[in-house]
Amino acid sequence: MRSSLEQNDLVAAEKFYAEVLGFPVVERWHRNGEDGVGDGGDRTRIGLWRPQLGLGEGRGGVHFHYAMGLPAEAYDGVVERLRSYGI
């Protein structure tokens, strides 16, 4: 799965996905005035970028929804980890 999410604060977003959720950072880029971070795991890539207009003046990452799954036995540990970060 590939998803792109618009972020006002790339540093905070990278910290959340990498530190809190444990996604490895696989790429950072700055090209054509665009800054971004690619986080991902075995089957997931999440592109984080600053607000910008794309094709047809669209903002693709601002209205995107996605879901992540985890095994039922991991649920309590994940909730505890999120709470330890104040989430």
Side-chain angles (χ1 to χ4, degrees), residues 6 18 23-24 27-30 36 40-41 43 48-49 55-57 75-76 83 86:
E6 184 177 287
F23 289 7
E27 179 182 16
R28 285 187 187 90
W29 64 87
H30 180 79
R43 298 179 301 166
L48 308 173
W49 66 54
L55 296 173
E57 302 297 303
Y75 181 82
D76 290 335
R83 287 185 177 152

Side-chain angles (χ1 to χ4, degrees), residues 47-66:
L48 308 173
W49 66 54
R50 296 183 195 287
Q52 60 185 293
L53 295 177
L55 296 173
E57 302 297 303
R59 289 180 53 201
V62 74
H63 62 271
F64 194 81
H65 168 79
Y66 69 97

Side-chain angles (χ1 to χ4, degrees), residues 7-82:
Q7 303 293 314
N8 288 319
D9 187 338
L10 285 178
V11 173
E14 179 180 335
K15 181 175 181 173
F16 174 75
Y17 285 98
E19 279 187 32
V20 178
L21 296 183
F23 289 7
V25 175
V26 296
E27 179 182 16
R28 285 187 187 90
W29 64 87
H30 180 79
R31 58 184 173 259
N32 300 326
E34 172 189 316
D35 294 316
V37 177
D39 291 283
D42 294 338
R43 298 179 301 166
T44 302
R45 283 271 173 107
I46 298 175
L48 308 173
W49 66 54
R50 296 183 195 287
Q52 60 185 293
L53 295 177
L55 296 173
E57 302 297 303
R59 289 180 53 201
V62 74
H63 62 271
F64 194 81
H65 168 79
Y66 69 97
M68 290 180 256
L70 65 146
E73 61 272 11
Y75 181 82
D76 290 335
V78 170
V79 169
E80 185 177 319
R81 180 177 177 84
L82 292 171

